Amino acid sequence: TIFEAVVAALRPGDLEGVTVMVTAGPTREEIDPVRFISNHSSGRMGYAVARAARQRGARVILVSGPTGLAAPAGVERICVESARDMQAVVMEHVKECMVVVKTAAVADYRPAERKGDKIKKQAAEMTLTLVKNPDILAELGRLKKRPFLVGFAAETSRLEEYAAQKLAEKNLDMIVANDVSLGDAGFNVDTNRALFLFRDGSRQECPLMSKDELANRILDQIASRLPAQRR
Amino acid sequence: TIFEAVVAALRPGDLEGVTVMVTAGPTREEIDPVRFISNHSSGRMGYAVARAARQRGARVILVSGPTGLAAPAGVERICVESARDMQAVVMEHVKECMVVVKTAAVADYRPAERKGDKIKKQAAEMTLTLVKNPDILAELGRLKKRPFLVGFAAETSRLEEYAAQKLAEKNLDMIVANDVSLGDAGFNVDTNRALFLFRDGSRQECPLMSKDELANRILDQIASRLPAQRR
């Protein structure tokens, strides 16, 4: 499109030579061969970041949970189902990456046991025991050779407080916080509004804009904060 | 397509004057504003039945859970999320319908409580209490003025046994049983193989074929079994 051409002209390859990993979409945690636990992430924000990073010259590895979206041109997409699948792929490729943008809504919990056959409906009540999934972002934050690490916080209340807490706890460089209880932000819509918080304590508010434009605002911040010798 | 034109010519409006309700897709049962329980149903089998019934002259009401599919031309689609949403819509419209084909993979259970805010991840283990959802098919089977009722059984083992049990228990006229553990049948594929069981004890096996063709085989059976004066 004309818009994309203009964007590309305005930001001429400022991510050339940089490998960016983007994780996107939900994960699915199977209860049995038929049922699973998932979440409302559409993957659109992550796909927008992957597309924009590629347009700005980066090599892009997109690790994607199940979405109905087509892979952006020129992006290396690896499709996964569960949080543990995603963990394996991310940890395998992180050494190649200078930047990791983790937009995926990874399931925090999975069923303790996956039944091999479909569970028959019987009792009026049933309890499902869930166990915590690996925390991929925290694992990345603990790496000795850490990439520039960008997390997302989708919250329905106390947005800035939770986001700041996540930034510190997971040892991130930047966090993009958005309130998914608003109708024009978050899941399954084409627009988003966000708050950026940084490791150095600075903050920036982004008003309502398209996910494509927000993706570029995020990449502006990343590009300006990468060590000069690595770019 | 030429194929659809040939099909239409071969079966000229044998469902004219008949209103058919088709339920399709999965349901989503929310745990909190972000997470839900769902299943692998793509909705393709139900959409194929709806499309074929319309091509054969029926008025079609398609009650659909969340899928990425477009509504077939001429079909009245009503979109729903949860099992209870689906129940309300089905029970509202059933009086208008001579036939109900229930392909939807309705969640058997839902979380006992839906949290208003996103649950924060804390404990290493968590239990989720699930309660049984309304059984829409059984409720239809108990109606005094019952439509011609077709159910589906997606199983991973003991296919015929479970299907026959469901046919009897839910007071159905016909059940379409398929083994979703096979790679070429069931969820997210364009083909299916199935076993038809009927109230009168007869049975018919359908070999591997496209879901569109299987839809027409199902409608052949329905059309031939509707009381003559109602057609």
PDB file of all heavy atoms in Angstrom, chain A residues 70-107:
ATOM      1  N   ALA A  70      -2.142 -14.718   8.119  1.00  0.00           N
ATOM      2  CA  ALA A  70      -1.099 -15.116   7.170  1.00  0.00           C
ATOM      3  C   ALA A  70       0.231 -14.546   7.631  1.00  0.00           C
ATOM      4  O   ALA A  70       0.287 -13.453   8.202  1.00  0.00           O
ATOM      5  CB  ALA A  70      -1.444 -14.597   5.781  1.00  0.00           C
ATOM      6  N   ALA A  71       1.318 -15.278   7.378  1.00  0.00           N
ATOM      7  CA  ALA A  71       2.645 -14.787   7.745  1.00  0.00           C
ATOM      8  C   ALA A  71       2.989 -13.571   6.891  1.00  0.00           C
ATOM      9  O   ALA A  71       2.815 -13.604   5.683  1.00  0.00           O
ATOM     10  CB  ALA A  71       3.673 -15.887   7.552  1.00  0.00           C
ATOM     11  N   PRO A  72       3.476 -12.475   7.513  1.00  0.00           N
ATOM     12  CA  PRO A  72       3.888 -11.311   6.724  1.00  0.00           C
ATOM     13  C   PRO A  72       5.048 -11.690   5.785  1.00  0.00           C
ATOM     14  O   PRO A  72       5.861 -12.563   6.115  1.00  0.00           O
ATOM     15  CB  PRO A  72       4.359 -10.310   7.786  1.00  0.00           C
ATOM     16  CG  PRO A  72       3.724 -10.748   9.066  1.00  0.00           C
ATOM     17  CD  PRO A  72       3.625 -12.242   8.966  1.00  0.00           C
ATOM     18  N   ALA A  73       5.108 -11.024   4.641  1.00  0.00           N
ATOM     19  CA  ALA A  73       6.127 -11.326   3.629  1.00  0.00           C
ATOM     20  C   ALA A  73       7.533 -11.209   4.211  1.00  0.00           C
ATOM     21  O   ALA A  73       7.838 -10.256   4.920  1.00  0.00           O
ATOM     22  CB  ALA A  73       5.971 -10.372   2.453  1.00  0.00           C
ATOM     23  N   GLY A  74       8.363 -12.181   3.938  1.00  0.00           N
ATOM     24  CA  GLY A  74       9.761 -12.092   4.322  1.00  0.00           C
ATOM     25  C   GLY A  74      10.055 -12.483   5.757  1.00  0.00           C
ATOM     26  O   GLY A  74      11.206 -12.483   6.184  1.00  0.00           O
ATOM     27  N   VAL A  75       9.019 -12.823   6.513  1.00  0.00           N
ATOM     28  CA  VAL A  75       9.181 -13.180   7.929  1.00  0.00           C
ATOM     29  C   VAL A  75       9.298 -14.701   8.057  1.00  0.00           C
ATOM     30  O   VAL A  75       8.591 -15.439   7.383  1.00  0.00           O
ATOM     31  CB  VAL A  75       7.970 -12.651   8.724  1.00  0.00           C
ATOM     32  CG1 VAL A  75       7.834 -13.342  10.068  1.00  0.00           C
ATOM     33  CG2 VAL A  75       8.069 -11.135   8.891  1.00  0.00           C
ATOM     34  N   GLU A  76      10.220 -15.178   8.898  1.00  0.00           N
ATOM     35  CA  GLU A  76      10.351 -16.619   9.141  1.00  0.00           C
ATOM     36  C   GLU A  76       9.399 -17.007  10.269  1.00  0.00           C
ATOM     37  O   GLU A  76       9.653 -16.706  11.420  1.00  0.00           O
ATOM     38  CB  GLU A  76      11.790 -16.963   9.561  1.00  0.00           C
ATOM     39  CG  GLU A  76      12.820 -16.586   8.516  1.00  0.00           C
ATOM     40  CD  GLU A  76      14.241 -16.512   9.069  1.00  0.00           C
ATOM     41  OE1 GLU A  76      14.630 -17.378   9.878  1.00  0.00           O
ATOM     42  OE2 GLU A  76      14.958 -15.560   8.692  1.00  0.00           O
ATOM     43  N   ARG A  77       8.306 -17.677   9.935  1.00  0.00           N
ATOM     44  CA  ARG A  77       7.319 -18.016  10.955  1.00  0.00           C
ATOM     45  C   ARG A  77       7.470 -19.459  11.417  1.00  0.00           C
ATOM     46  O   ARG A  77       7.608 -20.369  10.599  1.00  0.00           O
ATOM     47  CB  ARG A  77       5.902 -17.801  10.449  1.00  0.00           C
ATOM     48  CG  ARG A  77       4.858 -18.140  11.521  1.00  0.00           C
ATOM     49  CD  ARG A  77       3.474 -17.677  11.151  1.00  0.00           C
ATOM     50  NE  ARG A  77       2.928 -18.417  10.022  1.00  0.00           N
ATOM     51  CZ  ARG A  77       1.662 -18.318   9.625  1.00  0.00           C
ATOM     52  NH1 ARG A  77       0.833 -17.504  10.249  1.00  0.00           N
ATOM     53  NH2 ARG A  77       1.237 -19.000   8.590  1.00  0.00           N
ATOM     54  N   ILE A  78       7.423 -19.680  12.706  1.00  0.00           N
ATOM     55  CA  ILE A  78       7.423 -21.019  13.289  1.00  0.00           C
ATOM     56  C   ILE A  78       6.147 -21.148  14.113  1.00  0.00           C
ATOM     57  O   ILE A  78       5.940 -20.378  15.055  1.00  0.00           O
ATOM     58  CB  ILE A  78       8.658 -21.249  14.186  1.00  0.00           C
ATOM     59  CG1 ILE A  78       9.947 -20.955  13.399  1.00  0.00           C
ATOM     60  CG2 ILE A  78       8.677 -22.676  14.734  1.00  0.00           C
ATOM     61  CD1 ILE A  78      11.208 -20.936  14.249  1.00  0.00           C
ATOM     62  N   CYS A  79       5.270 -22.086  13.736  1.00  0.00           N
ATOM     63  CA  CYS A  79       3.980 -22.217  14.414  1.00  0.00           C
ATOM     64  C   CYS A  79       4.051 -23.217  15.565  1.00  0.00           C
ATOM     65  O   CYS A  79       4.646 -24.286  15.432  1.00  0.00           O
ATOM     66  CB  CYS A  79       2.905 -22.653  13.423  1.00  0.00           C
ATOM     67  SG  CYS A  79       2.517 -21.352  12.236  1.00  0.00           S
ATOM     68  N   VAL A  80       3.459 -22.865  16.690  1.00  0.00           N
ATOM     69  CA  VAL A  80       3.442 -23.722  17.874  1.00  0.00           C
ATOM     70  C   VAL A  80       2.034 -23.777  18.452  1.00  0.00           C
ATOM     71  O   VAL A  80       1.179 -22.968  18.083  1.00  0.00           O
ATOM     72  CB  VAL A  80       4.423 -23.207  18.955  1.00  0.00           C
ATOM     73  CG1 VAL A  80       5.861 -23.214  18.444  1.00  0.00           C
ATOM     74  CG2 VAL A  80       4.045 -21.808  19.429  1.00  0.00           C
ATOM     75  N   GLU A  81       1.799 -24.728  19.352  1.00  0.00           N
ATOM     76  CA  GLU A  81       0.481 -24.846  19.993  1.00  0.00           C
ATOM     77  C   GLU A  81       0.545 -24.427  21.471  1.00  0.00           C
ATOM     78  O   GLU A  81      -0.090 -23.487  21.874  1.00  0.00           O
ATOM     79  CB  GLU A  81      -0.029 -26.298  19.910  1.00  0.00           C
ATOM     80  CG  GLU A  81      -0.521 -26.718  18.528  1.00  0.00           C
ATOM     81  CD  GLU A  81      -1.991 -26.362  18.273  1.00  0.00           C
ATOM     82  OE1 GLU A  81      -2.786 -26.361  19.231  1.00  0.00           O
ATOM     83  OE2 GLU A  81      -2.329 -26.091  17.111  1.00  0.00           O
ATOM     84  N   SER A  82       1.331 -25.158  22.244  1.00  0.00           N
ATOM     85  CA  SER A  82       1.305 -24.954  23.696  1.00  0.00           C
ATOM     86  C   SER A  82       2.441 -24.057  24.168  1.00  0.00           C
ATOM     87  O   SER A  82       3.382 -23.758  23.422  1.00  0.00           O
ATOM     88  CB  SER A  82       1.431 -26.316  24.397  1.00  0.00           C
ATOM     89  OG  SER A  82       2.759 -26.792  24.248  1.00  0.00           O
ATOM     90  N   ALA A  83       2.364 -23.638  25.425  1.00  0.00           N
ATOM     91  CA  ALA A  83       3.418 -22.818  26.029  1.00  0.00           C
ATOM     92  C   ALA A  83       4.759 -23.548  26.009  1.00  0.00           C
ATOM     93  O   ALA A  83       5.800 -22.947  25.761  1.00  0.00           O
ATOM     94  CB  ALA A  83       3.042 -22.463  27.467  1.00  0.00           C
ATOM     95  N   ARG A  84       4.715 -24.864  26.251  1.00  0.00           N
ATOM     96  CA  ARG A  84       5.977 -25.603  26.259  1.00  0.00           C
ATOM     97  C   ARG A  84       6.581 -25.728  24.870  1.00  0.00           C
ATOM     98  O   ARG A  84       7.791 -25.687  24.704  1.00  0.00           O
ATOM     99  CB  ARG A  84       5.796 -26.949  26.958  1.00  0.00           C
ATOM    100  CG  ARG A  84       5.656 -26.754  28.485  1.00  0.00           C
ATOM    101  CD  ARG A  84       5.571 -28.065  29.227  1.00  0.00           C
ATOM    102  NE  ARG A  84       4.341 -28.773  28.882  1.00  0.00           N
ATOM    103  CZ  ARG A  84       4.025 -29.966  29.356  1.00  0.00           C
ATOM    104  NH1 ARG A  84       4.853 -30.585  30.194  1.00  0.00           N
ATOM    105  NH2 ARG A  84       2.888 -30.535  29.032  1.00  0.00           N
ATOM    106  N   ASP A  85       5.711 -25.844  23.838  1.00  0.00           N
ATOM    107  CA  ASP A  85       6.196 -25.787  22.444  1.00  0.00           C
ATOM    108  C   ASP A  85       6.894 -24.453  22.190  1.00  0.00           C
ATOM    109  O   ASP A  85       7.979 -24.385  21.608  1.00  0.00           O
ATOM    110  CB  ASP A  85       5.033 -25.829  21.436  1.00  0.00           C
ATOM    111  CG  ASP A  85       4.278 -27.141  21.438  1.00  0.00           C
ATOM    112  OD1 ASP A  85       4.792 -28.119  21.997  1.00  0.00           O
ATOM    113  OD2 ASP A  85       3.160 -27.164  20.869  1.00  0.00           O
ATOM    114  N   MET A  86       6.223 -23.381  22.629  1.00  0.00           N
ATOM    115  CA  MET A  86       6.754 -22.041  22.374  1.00  0.00           C
ATOM    116  C   MET A  86       8.085 -21.844  23.094  1.00  0.00           C
ATOM    117  O   MET A  86       9.047 -21.323  22.527  1.00  0.00           O
ATOM    118  CB  MET A  86       5.743 -20.972  22.796  1.00  0.00           C
ATOM    119  CG  MET A  86       6.186 -19.559  22.425  1.00  0.00           C
ATOM    120  SD  MET A  86       4.909 -18.298  22.671  1.00  0.00           S
ATOM    121  CE  MET A  86       3.964 -18.465  21.147  1.00  0.00           C
ATOM    122  N   GLN A  87       8.141 -22.310  24.346  1.00  0.00           N
ATOM    123  CA  GLN A  87       9.388 -22.216  25.113  1.00  0.00           C
ATOM    124  C   GLN A  87      10.555 -22.881  24.370  1.00  0.00           C
ATOM    125  O   GLN A  87      11.643 -22.323  24.253  1.00  0.00           O
ATOM    126  CB  GLN A  87       9.198 -22.889  26.476  1.00  0.00           C
ATOM    127  CG  GLN A  87      10.447 -22.909  27.334  1.00  0.00           C
ATOM    128  CD  GLN A  87      10.287 -23.819  28.547  1.00  0.00           C
ATOM    129  OE1 GLN A  87       9.586 -24.825  28.487  1.00  0.00           O
ATOM    130  NE2 GLN A  87      10.927 -23.441  29.635  1.00  0.00           N
ATOM    131  N   ALA A  88      10.309 -24.083  23.851  1.00  0.00           N
ATOM    132  CA  ALA A  88      11.376 -24.826  23.177  1.00  0.00           C
ATOM    133  C   ALA A  88      11.884 -24.064  21.956  1.00  0.00           C
ATOM    134  O   ALA A  88      13.103 -23.942  21.750  1.00  0.00           O
ATOM    135  CB  ALA A  88      10.863 -26.218  22.777  1.00  0.00           C
ATOM    136  N   VAL A  89      10.966 -23.523  21.172  1.00  0.00           N
ATOM    137  CA  VAL A  89      11.363 -22.806  19.952  1.00  0.00           C
ATOM    138  C   VAL A  89      12.077 -21.500  20.294  1.00  0.00           C
ATOM    139  O   VAL A  89      13.101 -21.161  19.696  1.00  0.00           O
ATOM    140  CB  VAL A  89      10.121 -22.548  19.059  1.00  0.00           C
ATOM    141  CG1 VAL A  89      10.471 -21.613  17.909  1.00  0.00           C
ATOM    142  CG2 VAL A  89       9.572 -23.855  18.521  1.00  0.00           C
ATOM    143  N   VAL A  90      11.545 -20.777  21.263  1.00  0.00           N
ATOM    144  CA  VAL A  90      12.153 -19.498  21.647  1.00  0.00           C
ATOM    145  C   VAL A  90      13.575 -19.712  22.176  1.00  0.00           C
ATOM    146  O   VAL A  90      14.514 -19.019  21.761  1.00  0.00           O
ATOM    147  CB  VAL A  90      11.285 -18.767  22.709  1.00  0.00           C
ATOM    148  CG1 VAL A  90      12.047 -17.602  23.340  1.00  0.00           C
ATOM    149  CG2 VAL A  90       9.991 -18.264  22.066  1.00  0.00           C
ATOM    150  N   MET A  91      13.741 -20.692  23.061  1.00  0.00           N
ATOM    151  CA  MET A  91      15.064 -20.901  23.661  1.00  0.00           C
ATOM    152  C   MET A  91      16.064 -21.439  22.637  1.00  0.00           C
ATOM    153  O   MET A  91      17.260 -21.212  22.749  1.00  0.00           O
ATOM    154  CB  MET A  91      14.974 -21.828  24.882  1.00  0.00           C
ATOM    155  CG  MET A  91      14.110 -21.276  26.039  1.00  0.00           C
ATOM    156  SD  MET A  91      14.321 -19.508  26.430  1.00  0.00           S
ATOM    157  CE  MET A  91      16.004 -19.503  27.074  1.00  0.00           C
ATOM    158  N   GLU A  92      15.535 -22.104  21.604  1.00  0.00           N
ATOM    159  CA  GLU A  92      16.423 -22.613  20.552  1.00  0.00           C
ATOM    160  C   GLU A  92      16.972 -21.464  19.698  1.00  0.00           C
ATOM    161  O   GLU A  92      18.099 -21.515  19.224  1.00  0.00           O
ATOM    162  CB  GLU A  92      15.634 -23.605  19.673  1.00  0.00           C
ATOM    163  CG  GLU A  92      16.491 -24.278  18.618  1.00  0.00           C
ATOM    164  CD  GLU A  92      15.640 -25.071  17.622  1.00  0.00           C
ATOM    165  OE1 GLU A  92      14.532 -25.510  17.995  1.00  0.00           O
ATOM    166  OE2 GLU A  92      16.092 -25.223  16.477  1.00  0.00           O
ATOM    167  N   HIS A  93      16.153 -20.427  19.476  1.00  0.00           N
ATOM    168  CA  HIS A  93      16.536 -19.375  18.537  1.00  0.00           C
ATOM    169  C   HIS A  93      17.016 -18.085  19.182  1.00  0.00           C
ATOM    170  O   HIS A  93      17.461 -17.174  18.481  1.00  0.00           O
ATOM    171  CB  HIS A  93      15.366 -19.070  17.590  1.00  0.00           C
ATOM    172  CG  HIS A  93      15.087 -20.183  16.618  1.00  0.00           C
ATOM    173  ND1 HIS A  93      15.823 -20.350  15.472  1.00  0.00           N
ATOM    174  CD2 HIS A  93      14.196 -21.198  16.645  1.00  0.00           C
ATOM    175  CE1 HIS A  93      15.371 -21.416  14.818  1.00  0.00           C
ATOM    176  NE2 HIS A  93      14.389 -21.953  15.511  1.00  0.00           N
ATOM    177  N   VAL A  94      16.932 -17.987  20.505  1.00  0.00           N
ATOM    178  CA  VAL A  94      17.220 -16.695  21.134  1.00  0.00           C
ATOM    179  C   VAL A  94      18.663 -16.249  20.926  1.00  0.00           C
ATOM    180  O   VAL A  94      18.941 -15.044  20.842  1.00  0.00           O
ATOM    181  CB  VAL A  94      16.830 -16.694  22.641  1.00  0.00           C
ATOM    182  CG1 VAL A  94      17.686 -17.660  23.441  1.00  0.00           C
ATOM    183  CG2 VAL A  94      16.910 -15.293  23.220  1.00  0.00           C
ATOM    184  N   LYS A  95      19.565 -17.208  20.808  1.00  0.00           N
ATOM    185  CA  LYS A  95      20.979 -16.831  20.642  1.00  0.00           C
ATOM    186  C   LYS A  95      21.225 -16.037  19.357  1.00  0.00           C
ATOM    187  O   LYS A  95      22.182 -15.271  19.268  1.00  0.00           O
ATOM    188  CB  LYS A  95      21.861 -18.081  20.658  1.00  0.00           C
ATOM    189  CG  LYS A  95      21.974 -18.716  22.029  1.00  0.00           C
ATOM    190  CD  LYS A  95      22.773 -20.017  21.966  1.00  0.00           C
ATOM    191  CE  LYS A  95      22.400 -20.931  23.119  1.00  0.00           C
ATOM    192  NZ  LYS A  95      21.084 -21.614  22.901  1.00  0.00           N
ATOM    193  N   GLU A  96      20.353 -16.231  18.374  1.00  0.00           N
ATOM    194  CA  GLU A  96      20.510 -15.510  17.091  1.00  0.00           C
ATOM    195  C   GLU A  96      19.955 -14.094  17.158  1.00  0.00           C
ATOM    196  O   GLU A  96      20.114 -13.337  16.206  1.00  0.00           O
ATOM    197  CB  GLU A  96      19.751 -16.263  15.977  1.00  0.00           C
ATOM    198  CG  GLU A  96      20.062 -17.744  15.861  1.00  0.00           C
ATOM    199  CD  GLU A  96      18.930 -18.501  15.159  1.00  0.00           C
ATOM    200  OE1 GLU A  96      18.372 -17.984  14.181  1.00  0.00           O
ATOM    201  OE2 GLU A  96      18.613 -19.629  15.614  1.00  0.00           O
ATOM    202  N   CYS A  97      19.281 -13.748  18.263  1.00  0.00           N
ATOM    203  CA  CYS A  97      18.460 -12.530  18.261  1.00  0.00           C
ATOM    204  C   CYS A  97      19.016 -11.419  19.142  1.00  0.00           C
ATOM    205  O   CYS A  97      19.403 -11.655  20.287  1.00  0.00           O
ATOM    206  CB  CYS A  97      17.041 -12.859  18.722  1.00  0.00           C
ATOM    207  SG  CYS A  97      16.269 -14.109  17.672  1.00  0.00           S
ATOM    208  N   MET A  98      19.013 -10.188  18.597  1.00  0.00           N
ATOM    209  CA  MET A  98      19.423  -9.032  19.376  1.00  0.00           C
ATOM    210  C   MET A  98      18.228  -8.456  20.134  1.00  0.00           C
ATOM    211  O   MET A  98      18.392  -7.782  21.147  1.00  0.00           O
ATOM    212  CB  MET A  98      19.987  -7.973  18.419  1.00  0.00           C
ATOM    213  CG  MET A  98      20.804  -6.897  19.096  1.00  0.00           C
ATOM    214  SD  MET A  98      21.390  -5.683  17.903  1.00  0.00           S
ATOM    215  CE  MET A  98      22.500  -6.690  16.902  1.00  0.00           C
ATOM    216  N   VAL A  99      17.044  -8.717  19.607  1.00  0.00           N
ATOM    217  CA  VAL A  99      15.817  -8.170  20.190  1.00  0.00           C
ATOM    218  C   VAL A  99      14.771  -9.277  20.280  1.00  0.00           C
ATOM    219  O   VAL A  99      14.632 -10.071  19.344  1.00  0.00           O
ATOM    220  CB  VAL A  99      15.249  -7.028  19.303  1.00  0.00           C
ATOM    221  CG1 VAL A  99      13.940  -6.488  19.872  1.00  0.00           C
ATOM    222  CG2 VAL A  99      16.267  -5.918  19.108  1.00  0.00           C
ATOM    223  N   VAL A 100      14.057  -9.350  21.397  1.00  0.00           N
ATOM    224  CA  VAL A 100      12.893 -10.237  21.505  1.00  0.00           C
ATOM    225  C   VAL A 100      11.685  -9.397  21.936  1.00  0.00           C
ATOM    226  O   VAL A 100      11.734  -8.718  22.962  1.00  0.00           O
ATOM    227  CB  VAL A 100      13.129 -11.387  22.507  1.00  0.00           C
ATOM    228  CG1 VAL A 100      11.844 -12.211  22.670  1.00  0.00           C
ATOM    229  CG2 VAL A 100      14.267 -12.292  22.043  1.00  0.00           C
ATOM    230  N   VAL A 101      10.643  -9.428  21.126  1.00  0.00           N
ATOM    231  CA  VAL A 101       9.398  -8.736  21.462  1.00  0.00           C
ATOM    232  C   VAL A 101       8.356  -9.805  21.722  1.00  0.00           C
ATOM    233  O   VAL A 101       7.968 -10.548  20.834  1.00  0.00           O
ATOM    234  CB  VAL A 101       8.932  -7.806  20.318  1.00  0.00           C
ATOM    235  CG1 VAL A 101       7.675  -7.042  20.735  1.00  0.00           C
ATOM    236  CG2 VAL A 101      10.040  -6.836  19.924  1.00  0.00           C
ATOM    237  N   LYS A 102       7.930  -9.896  22.976  1.00  0.00           N
ATOM    238  CA  LYS A 102       7.089 -11.008  23.392  1.00  0.00           C
ATOM    239  C   LYS A 102       5.643 -10.522  23.514  1.00  0.00           C
ATOM    240  O   LYS A 102       5.215 -10.098  24.576  1.00  0.00           O
ATOM    241  CB  LYS A 102       7.648 -11.569  24.707  1.00  0.00           C
ATOM    242  CG  LYS A 102       7.049 -12.882  25.145  1.00  0.00           C
ATOM    243  CD  LYS A 102       5.988 -12.598  26.162  1.00  0.00           C
ATOM    244  CE  LYS A 102       5.310 -13.813  26.727  1.00  0.00           C
ATOM    245  NZ  LYS A 102       3.992 -13.386  27.272  1.00  0.00           N
ATOM    246  N   THR A 103       4.912 -10.574  22.403  1.00  0.00           N
ATOM    247  CA  THR A 103       3.500 -10.173  22.443  1.00  0.00           C
ATOM    248  C   THR A 103       2.573 -11.347  22.735  1.00  0.00           C
ATOM    249  O   THR A 103       1.408 -11.148  23.040  1.00  0.00           O
ATOM    250  CB  THR A 103       3.028  -9.567  21.094  1.00  0.00           C
ATOM    251  OG1 THR A 103       2.872 -10.606  20.136  1.00  0.00           O
ATOM    252  CG2 THR A 103       4.003  -8.534  20.568  1.00  0.00           C
ATOM    253  N   ALA A 104       3.079 -12.573  22.610  1.00  0.00           N
ATOM    254  CA  ALA A 104       2.205 -13.748  22.773  1.00  0.00           C
ATOM    255  C   ALA A 104       1.527 -13.752  24.135  1.00  0.00           C
ATOM    256  O   ALA A 104       2.125 -13.381  25.144  1.00  0.00           O
ATOM    257  CB  ALA A 104       3.004 -15.039  22.593  1.00  0.00           C
ATOM    258  N   ALA A 105       0.275 -14.167  24.141  1.00  0.00           N
ATOM    259  CA  ALA A 105      -0.458 -14.347  25.391  1.00  0.00           C
ATOM    260  C   ALA A 105      -0.322 -15.815  25.776  1.00  0.00           C
ATOM    261  O   ALA A 105      -1.187 -16.635  25.483  1.00  0.00           O
ATOM    262  CB  ALA A 105      -1.917 -13.946  25.213  1.00  0.00           C
ATOM    263  N   VAL A 106       0.815 -16.132  26.380  1.00  0.00           N
ATOM    264  CA  VAL A 106       1.107 -17.514  26.756  1.00  0.00           C
ATOM    265  C   VAL A 106       0.228 -17.905  27.944  1.00  0.00           C
ATOM    266  O   VAL A 106       0.116 -17.146  28.899  1.00  0.00           O
ATOM    267  CB  VAL A 106       2.593 -17.656  27.133  1.00  0.00           C
ATOM    268  CG1 VAL A 106       2.903 -19.071  27.605  1.00  0.00           C
ATOM    269  CG2 VAL A 106       3.482 -17.273  25.955  1.00  0.00           C
ATOM    270  N   ALA A 107      -0.380 -19.063  27.869  1.00  0.00           N
ATOM    271  CA  ALA A 107      -1.216 -19.529  28.982  1.00  0.00           C
ATOM    272  C   ALA A 107      -0.363 -19.685  30.234  1.00  0.00           C
ATOM    273  O   ALA A 107       0.683 -20.329  30.202  1.00  0.00           O
ATOM    274  CB  ALA A 107      -1.870 -20.862  28.622  1.00  0.00           C
TER     275      ALA A 107
END
